[in-house]
Every structure is written in structure tokens, then in C-alpha cells.
Amino acid sequence: MSWRLAQDADLDWIQSFLYANLQSSMFLLSNLRDHGLHDKTSDKGMTLWLSQGSAPGIFAITNSGMILLQAPNAVDRMWERASDLIADRPVLTGCLGETRQVRAFLSAAGLSDVPALLNDDEPAFRLNLAELIMPQMQGGELVPLSAVPRELVVHWRTSYHFEVMGTSKSKAAAVAETDIASYIEKDSHRALLVNNQPVAMTGFNAALPSVVQVGGVYTPPDLRGRGYARLALALHLQEARAKGVTQSVLFAASTAAVRAYMSLGYQRAGEFSLVLFDTGRKETT
């Protein structure tokens, strides 16, 4: 099977295929919705190729150099051909997708041993929001990020980048500033107040009318172990459910996170990989 450049006439097929593989397609779907096939300027605009037939699939790269893929039945030769499509790209920032596919692509492309800021295979989870289990904890209030001191949530996001994403200290603060500005503009994230004090942050890093992907959940170290992040996420999911969202997906970065998510009703749904390359010039989220 061979890859060909996607055209506008392919959009219905692409969306149908990605929705059929929703668990690990949220970044592709949200980027496609926001930027289409022809955005050559914004970081998340994509060049996208497709393969149809016995091994259908999607292969894409953003303008910032992030590789996204969804081809469950691809063989090594397909991944080798996919790597040829981006051979002239001067900057590759990383790769994300379902674990088996990411590892097969990186191996075929000769990228498995590239130094990385982050190179994680994480358990993925899915929840029907009708089955959301609300925590017993009471007294928390969920508010938009714009309702809490900006410098505080920028500090939290800076710490998240350093702790979770492997972002260097020299770059984490600047990236965090950009992230928080985007979250406030999109109204995608929330802060939890307890006794009128901000104690945790949660959000959706990709959202479609019927499904949200959780991302950026954070509690500062001195407030962990009290269930704040769990409550924040539950309240945010409850808010989304009231707006018609029916499903949520996520991938978990720690054992503690897994416990928290499963307590809300999430069930295992495969594995997701996020690789961020580090070559002295490559850093992104």
C-alpha cells in the first residue's frame, strides 16, 4: 500500500476513519477541525497523507514537526514509506499515537534512538460520561482559569512542563505562558477552589462535540494526596456532560493518576505513546 496526499474530497473518509479509531485519534481530529488540510502557518496546521484499501491509515506532520499517525494495520514497509514523506523536514519535534504504531514507525524511520525529552508509553482510558462516578468530597468550586491569579497558574503549568513533559527549565516558563494564554482564550481548562483558594487545575487538550480528551491535570506538590485533582476533573466532566458531551478519553502519566481516573469510572482502552525529541533544537508540546 502507498500513501497519497489528502485532498478536500477525502475529508468525509478521513473523519469517518478517525472516529472509528477515536481513542488515539483526538489530536488528529481536533487539529483537522481547527486547521483543515491547507494551513501552512500555524504550528498545529498539518500536512496529511492517507492510505486506503487493505491497510487504511492516516499519517500527518504538523508545521512545527510533530508526527501524528493512525494506521492500525500498517506493515513495516508502509511505515518506511511514511518516513520517506518527511525525509526533507529540517525539524522533527516528536511523534504521538497508539503505542504499537508509534514504536513501529520510529523503528522503520530509524528514529528509535534519537535523544528524547520525553519517551513514554502510557495506559489509555475511556469513559462513558453517563457512568461518571462523582467523588464524595464536597466543598470545591470549579472556575475558569481567568478567575484565578494568572501568575499562579503559569507557575503551575511551568512546574508541569518541567516535571511531566521534560521541558528544560530555561524554556518551561515561556512555554507555560503560551499554554495558559491559549487555555484562557479557548476556555478549555478550569481551576478548583477550596475555601476560595486555588488548589488544582484540569482541562481538555482536545475537544469535539461528543468527546473530550483530558490533559494538563495538575496539583502543586504540597496539596497532593487530598483528592483535589480528582474532584476538579469530575466537576469539569460533569460540566461537559451538561453540554452534550458523551465520552471522555485520556492517557495517564503515573500510578497515582491511574488510581484517580479509575475511581471516576474510566476503563482501560489500550496504550498511547508520546515522544518528544531532544536534539538541542527540538522542543514542543
Side-chain angles (χ1 to χ4, degrees):
M1 301 299 296
S2 60
W3 301 96
R4 66 173 178 84
L5 194 64
Q7 306 294 328
D8 287 336
D10 299 312
L11 283 171
D12 285 347
W13 182 89
I14 292 168
Q15 298 235 19
S16 177
F17 177 77
L18 292 177
Y19 268 101
N21 296 277
L22 183 64
Q23 182 69 39
S24 52
S25 295
M26 285 293 291
F27 289 120
L28 276 163
L29 282 163
S30 60
N31 281 8
L32 190 63
R33 177 201 60 198
D34 293 342
H35 303 281
L37 295 174
H38 309 294
D39 181 348
K40 303 301 182 184
T41 58
S42 60
D43 283 351
K44 293 183 179 181
M46 300 184 296
T47 302
L48 188 148
W49 297 267
L50 58 86
S51 172
Q52 295 173 296
S54 60
I58 302 292
F59 181 78
I61 186 167
T62 68
N63 294 329
S64 66
M66 179 63 70
I67 299 158
L68 303 92
L69 42 81
Q70 184 60 265
N73 298 315
V75 296
D76 289 346
R77 182 59 182 149
M78 283 184 66
W79 293 130
E80 291 168 4
R81 290 173 176 169
S83 69
D84 291 340
L85 297 172
I86 58 173
D88 62 346
R89 290 293 297 255
V91 175
L92 300 178
T93 51
C95 183
L96 57 83
E98 188 270 325
T99 292
R100 180 178 54 82
Q101 298 176 49
V102 168
R103 297 305 168 190
F105 168 76
L106 293 179
S107 176
L111 296 172
S112 294
D113 296 325
V114 172
L117 297 164
L118 184 69
N119 192 344
D120 284 349
D121 300 335
E122 299 178 349
F125 293 84
R126 191 165 184 162
L127 173 65
N128 180 335
L129 293 190
E131 300 173 358
L132 171 65
I133 301 170
M134 294 299 296
Q136 294 183 346
M137 182 179 181
Q138 302 293 322
E141 179 188 3
L142 203 65
V143 299
L145 291 191
S146 57
V148 300
R150 186 166 180 146
E151 63 272 17
L152 176 64
V153 288
V154 168
H155 173 69
W156 284 359
R157 185 63 181 173
T158 301
S159 298
Y160 178 92
H161 267 285
F162 182 66
E163 293 175 26
V164 179
M165 305 297 291
T167 310
S168 66
K169 288 184 176 179
S170 63
K171 296 183 178 181
V175 177
E177 284 274 8
T178 300
D179 288 349
I180 295 302
S182 175
Y183 297 164
I184 291 174
E185 179 183 0
K186 295 178 180 179
D187 195 31
S188 60
H189 286 57
R190 299 286 184 269
L192 179 70
L193 305 183
V194 173
N195 296 323
N196 292 318
Q197 296 299 313
V199 296
M201 179 167 63
T202 190
F204 303 140
N205 59 19
L208 299 168
S210 63
V211 59
V212 291
Q213 180 171 275
V214 174
V217 179
Y218 184 78
T219 306
D222 60 325
L223 296 175
R224 291 174 187 168
R226 307 184 192 186
Y228 291 151
R230 187 178 314 183
L231 178 60
L233 175 55
L235 290 172
H236 202 191
L237 292 172
Q238 190 176 55
E239 176 187 311
R241 184 174 63 187
K243 296 177 180 178
V245 175
T246 59
Q247 296 182 74
S248 173
V249 299
L250 57 81
F251 41 97
S254 69
T255 301
V258 168
R259 287 197 301 267
Y261 297 140
M262 293 187 72
S263 75
L264 298 178
Y266 281 91
Q267 301 292 321
R268 277 297 302 267
E271 199 167 31
F272 193 90
S273 292
L274 175 58
V275 180
L276 302 179
F277 298 134
D278 177 16
T279 63
R281 59 186 173 132
K282 303 168 181 177
E283 186 160 337
T284 190
T285 57

